[in-house]
């Protein structure tokens, strides 16, 4: 029999189609897994950390021992009293 003008698929053709089908389904499954993971991933915050306040900087300097308690209290009172105005 001629199989419709001898257009049958040889062994290599079957091998090529099989490999192509496996690669196709692997690509589809990989894409679905990546989309699923991206959809369920928590959103990352891209906020930059806030700059430390003057009180925090002063407390850090006191904790490191750069200033003593008297100077810490004096500077802390100056910070809480507000901006100094020059007359």
């Amino acid at each position: 029999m001629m199989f419709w003008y001898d257009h049958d698929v040889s062994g290599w053709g079957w091998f090529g189609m099989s490999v192509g089908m496996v690669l196709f389904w692997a690509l589809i499954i990989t894409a679905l897994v990546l989309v699923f993971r991206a959809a369920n991933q928590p959103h990352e915050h891209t906020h930059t950390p806030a700059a430390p306040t003057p009180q925090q900087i002063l407390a850090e300097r006191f904790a490191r021992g750069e200033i003593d308690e008297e100077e810490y209290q004096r500077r802390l009172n100056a910070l809480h009293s507000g901006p100094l105005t020059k007359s």
Side-chain angles (χ1 to χ4, degrees):
M1 189 168 191
M2 293 182 53
F3 289 103
W4 297 283
Y5 304 106
D6 200 24
H7 290 289
D8 62 338
V9 179
S10 65
W12 286 109
W14 285 107
F15 177 75
M17 283 194 302
S18 299
V19 169
M21 186 60 67
V22 169
L23 291 176
F24 171 77
W25 284 110
L27 179 68
I28 295 296
I29 292 170
T30 302
L32 289 174
V33 167
L34 290 176
V35 167
F36 181 74
R37 283 187 182 175
N40 289 333
Q41 195 172 31
H43 299 293
E44 294 181 17
H45 297 287
T46 57
H47 301 282
T48 56
T53 63
Q55 289 86 359
Q56 290 172 332
I57 294 172
L58 188 60
E60 288 174 5
R61 290 187 64 198
F62 179 62
R64 286 193 300 260
E66 292 178 11
I67 56 175
D68 60 357
E69 186 177 358
E70 180 183 328
E71 186 171 349
Y72 171 74
Q73 291 296 333
R74 185 176 57 80
R75 290 182 183 215
L76 190 60
N77 289 334
L79 285 173
H80 289 301
S81 68
L84 297 177
T85 55
K86 291 186 179 183
S87 308

